[in-house]
Amino acid sequence: PMKKSESIPVLVSVFVALVATAAECWAETTLAKDGAALLPVVSREDSEPAGELAKSLSRISGAKFERIAGHDNDRPGIFVGTRDDFPKINFPGIKELAVEEFVIRSEDGSLYLIGGGEPGVSHAVFTLLRELGCRWFFPGDVWEEIPSLPTLSGSWDIRAKPDFPLGRRIWYGFGAYAKNKEDWENWNRHNRMG
């Protein structure tokens, strides 16, 4: 049996290890500081969600976020894509993500927005923007709320999926008028409704 005087150093060591592990998992990632982007947005060249993320982060912070096409996560960045776009990423359960499921995770100075499929990537982008304070109350620019935050930083560890399958829509009475259709489609995407 261990004596009381021997168990204290063991308990302190376990506590320090737990705190160090928690600090590493929840390390803050800074995307922009004082209006200057610190990380590029890395994705496939044709990724619409990544393009919209870069544009939105620029609107929020006043910084210009560089877009880099590729799948290499050897240097810090904001990685946006499906699990297949970034084969080196090996978060627990990443290979089992459903099509609309996603992970947002800050780790080692980078931010990962990884979806099981393209809908999951879009959901990850708009979930992050919502976390940063963006809101789209109704279709159209008049109803959007985009905060002004010259410094963007945080710790994220989110894994989520919609409670209902694709096709979650709120319809206008008889459908959208042609001139309102684009606003309505954007609003649905921003609010993760398909």
Side-chain angles (χ1 to χ4, degrees):
M2 193 179 293
K3 295 180 183 178
K4 187 175 182 180
S5 61
E6 294 173 335
S7 65
I8 291 175
V10 171
L11 289 174
V12 168
S13 297
V14 169
F15 179 75
V16 168
L18 288 173
V19 169
T21 302
E24 184 178 309
C25 290
W26 292 98
E28 189 166 274
T29 301
T30 303
L31 312 179
K33 185 169 181 157
D34 299 325
L38 301 181
L39 298 173
V41 176
V42 182
S43 67
R44 284 191 339 261
E45 191 170 339
D46 64 343
S47 173
E48 288 181 29
E52 192 146 4
L53 177 65
K55 180 180 154 191
S56 296
L57 292 176
S58 294
R59 284 182 67 193
I60 294 168
S61 67
K64 175 149 178 43
F65 280 82
E66 177 187 10
R67 290 268 323 265
I68 297 176
H71 60 272
D72 189 8
N73 61 319
D74 290 338
R75 64 181 189 160
I78 303 168
F79 298 94
V80 181
T82 66
R83 59 182 177 242
D84 297 329
D85 292 337
F86 299 101
K88 292 182 182 178
I89 295 174
N90 197 21
F91 299 146
I94 196 91
K95 302 294 185 214
E96 291 80 34
L97 290 175
V99 172
E100 287 192 87
E101 195 170 6
F102 63 89
V103 171
I104 301 173
R105 187 169 182 173
S106 49
E107 186 173 283
D108 297 328
S110 291
L111 181 61
Y112 298 88
L113 289 85
I114 306 299
E118 289 303 320
V121 175
S122 181
H123 296 334
V125 165
F126 293 110
T127 297
L128 176 67
L129 292 174
R130 185 169 181 80
E131 291 278 316
L132 293 173
C134 296
R135 298 291 185 273
W136 299 272
F137 296 108
F138 294 102
D141 294 343
V142 171
W143 296 101
E144 70 180 14
E145 179 66 32
I146 307 296
S148 177
L149 303 167
T151 297
L152 298 173
S153 64
S155 298
W156 295 275
D157 190 12
I158 300 168
R159 182 177 179 148
K161 66 179 177 180
D163 292 329
F164 303 98
L166 269 172
R168 300 168 302 280
R169 301 279 183 178
I170 296 177
W171 296 94
Y172 289 126
F174 296 100
Y177 293 105
K179 68 178 184 176
N180 296 343
K181 187 174 184 199
E182 185 179 348
D183 288 340
W184 176 74
E185 288 172 348
N186 289 338
W187 181 78
N188 274 311
R189 193 176 64 258
H190 293 157
N191 286 290
R192 303 164 304 209
M193 293 199 283

